[in-house]
Amino acid sequence: MIVKRIEELGHEMREWRRDIHAHPELGFEEQRTSDLVASRLASFGVEVHRGIGKTGVVGILKNGNSKRGVGLRADMDALPIQEANTFEHRSRHDGKMHACGHDGHTTMLLGAAKYLAETRNFDGTVHFIFQPAEEGIGGAKAMIDDGLFKRFPCEAVFGMHNRPGMPLGKFAVRSGPMMAGGAFFDIDVTGVGAHGARPEAGIDPVLVSAHIATALQSIVSRNVRPVETAVVSVTQIHGGDAYNVIPQTARLSGTVRAFSNDTMTLIGKNLARIAEGVAAGFGASAKTDFRMIFAPLVNDAKEADFAASICAELVGADSVRRDPALIMASEDFSYMLAEVPGCYVNIGNGDGTGACEVHNPAYDFNDAALPYGASFFARLVEKRLSTPGQ
Ligand SMILES: [Zn+2]
Ligand SMILES: [Zn+2]
């Protein structure tokens, strides 16, 4: 059952959500959004800390004497997408759009904060973590580097993302790896430039690059254990400017996805060795730059069971999927989960017509999901930090 008082806040949450949707801001530029979050939290009686990870906000709500603390996290940033929707709350900012539902995530956490501040039916400390810049530019890491978990100690941390196509009132929770880690790479190949008609006078980095791109496809099939899931994609090859010139250099770039740091490291090492070895075989040289952008997102088994039990209490065990498929996309809440055990859950954004994918110009967060998500956060706190005698 959804928390009754939160259901009553549904209309108010809808207004907040649509206001945020209409005023999207990109990563680390969430000025209006963080102002709005901070002033709402303050109006609920929550202690507000700002400027953590640039535009990040943390709200502290204490009750009772317990030293225990939990963290609840929402993301606030929008995407550089031109919104195609024409409804009243469409984006007012050209080329920017809440196309991933972070407007909804922020609102659900605000709703939980309002309810918990009113009812105070827990013993301990809740940290409401409003993170900037989730979309690939390191907001979670920026907050951690600013001392997030040292300043606001949490025994566990929880996050949530909407999932289009999953019916309203459904949740999905996995133990262990849930979303892939992501790395980017560049390989710079250096040969010897020559006239296009006199290849014997040079070393062709274009040909070398083609061989490297082919050879890299053996990493997943021959180096990674078959039971692991991984992707190596060469997505760019650049080299040369003229029809009749063998260039001096060429560059290959691409992305790697995997579900454990060990697999990521293994792929990074093999990628560099193969690139350098293949290049050397042709008399050329190669230099590899391999950069982790997202860590794999790994849910703690115990916390996943706990989160699933809260979802089951809200919507019934039949509406909680415990074995959803692995997701090849990445999410930087993974960096928080690498610091503190916790769990990330998916919440249904609705199916049927209009169940538009995230990052699509026609996407919109489903307001009907707000009471479910806010209830999840609220009940999680009440159960986790249950007052004595409850
Ligand atoms: Zn996104
Ligand atoms: Zn997102």
Side-chain angles (χ1 to χ4, degrees):
M1 287 275 288
I2 295 179
V3 177
K4 194 167 173 301
R5 173 63 186 136
I6 288 179
E7 208 162 15
E8 291 166 11
L9 296 175
H11 184 73
E12 197 176 345
M13 284 196 283
R14 201 181 80 149
E15 298 303 306
W16 300 344
R17 207 282 298 177
R18 294 187 172 194
D19 178 35
I20 298 171
H21 187 93
H23 301 93
E25 295 170 302
L26 300 181
F28 292 127
E29 294 171 7
E30 304 93 336
Q31 213 49 61
R32 183 186 186 276
T33 313
S34 63
D35 281 350
L36 187 147
V37 164
S39 67
R40 290 269 141 73
L41 289 175
S43 77
F44 307 153
V46 173
E47 183 185 321
V48 177
H49 296 256
R50 301 194 62 177
I52 301 140
K54 296 186 186 155
T55 41
V57 181
V58 177
I60 303 182
L61 184 64
K62 276 192 185 132
N63 199 55
N65 304 314
S66 168
K67 293 268 177 282
R68 298 175 65 193
V70 294
L72 308 174
R73 173 273 201 179
D75 39 16
M76 301 188 290
D77 57 322
L79 284 156
I81 294 176
Q82 182 67 38
E83 180 155 5
N85 296 312
T86 53
F87 45 55
E88 180 54 35
H89 62 280
R90 70 186 176 278
S91 171
R92 304 292 191 265
H93 299 165
D94 244 13
K96 298 176 193 175
M97 177 190 174
H98 269 294
C100 204
H102 300 183
D103 47 345
H105 305 162
T106 294
T107 302
M108 294 192 286
L109 191 52
L110 282 174
K114 176 159 184 166
Y115 165 83
L116 289 165
E118 265 177 28
T119 51
R120 295 179 176 263
N121 200 9
F122 63 93
D123 186 16
T125 304
V126 189
H127 296 117
F128 302 100
I129 302 167
F130 292 88
Q131 182 207 305
E134 190 284 323
E135 297 286 1
I137 49 172
K141 218 166 164 304
M143 290 192 90
I144 292 165
D145 291 346
D146 263 359
L148 176 65
F149 293 118
K150 289 192 185 78
R151 292 171 63 187
F152 312 100
C154 300
E155 65 177 34
V157 65
F158 299 88
M160 178 161 35
H161 207 291
N162 75 94
R163 194 194 283 184
M166 192 159 88
L168 192 69
K170 305 259 183 203
F171 287 90
V173 189
R174 262 189 87 98
S175 293
M178 177 163 165
M179 296 179 73
F184 292 158
F185 64 85
D186 296 294
I187 300 169
D188 286 310
V189 178
T190 304
V192 175
H195 194 291
R198 297 195 62 241
E200 76 281 10
I203 296 173
D204 183 358
V206 174
L207 179 67
V208 174
S209 297
H211 278 272
I212 291 174
T214 305
L216 293 182
Q217 289 310 316
S218 72
I219 295 175
V220 173
S221 74
R222 301 291 89 177
N223 302 131
V224 174
R225 286 200 312 143
V227 292
E228 300 279 340
T229 304
V231 178
V232 175
S233 290
V234 175
T235 55
Q236 307 178 45
I237 301 184
H238 301 284
D241 299 298
Y243 287 106
N244 57 352
V245 177
I246 292 169
Q248 181 91 3
T249 60
R251 168 176 274 204
L252 299 97
S253 304
T255 189
V256 172
R257 304 291 155 125
F259 287 91
S260 76
N261 285 322
D262 287 353
T263 304
M264 269 292 185
T265 307
L266 178 131
I267 292 173
K269 275 190 186 148
N270 279 281
L271 194 131
R273 198 197 60 242
I274 289 172
E276 285 158 25
V278 169
F282 285 90
S285 65
K287 222 171 117 261
T288 301
D289 180 31
F290 186 85
R291 309 179 293 281
M292 278 281 278
I293 306 295
F294 289 99
L297 186 138
V298 182
N299 284 333
D300 180 87
K302 217 174 88 230
E303 301 302 348
D305 284 348
F306 170 65
S309 75
I310 301 297
C311 298
E313 181 198 298
L314 295 175
V315 296
D318 288 350
S319 294
V320 184
R321 249 192 102 177
R322 290 304 317 269
D323 61 345
L326 291 168
I327 301 169
M328 289 314 304
S330 302
E331 154 69 66
D332 84 345
F333 184 60
S334 58
Y335 286 104
M336 295 194 188
L337 289 179
E339 299 283 315
V340 175
C343 181
Y344 184 75
V345 309
N346 278 159
I347 178 169
N349 201 50
D351 54 0
T353 49
C356 185
E357 254 311 313
V358 292
H359 293 210
N360 182 292
Y363 170 85
D364 192 29
F365 185 87
N366 187 343
D367 288 315
L370 294 170
Y372 289 99
S375 293
F376 168 76
F377 281 137
R379 285 299 294 150
L380 184 158
V381 168
E382 291 180 338
K383 268 282 169 78
R384 186 56 173 254
L385 304 176
S386 58
T387 46
Q390 270 209 316

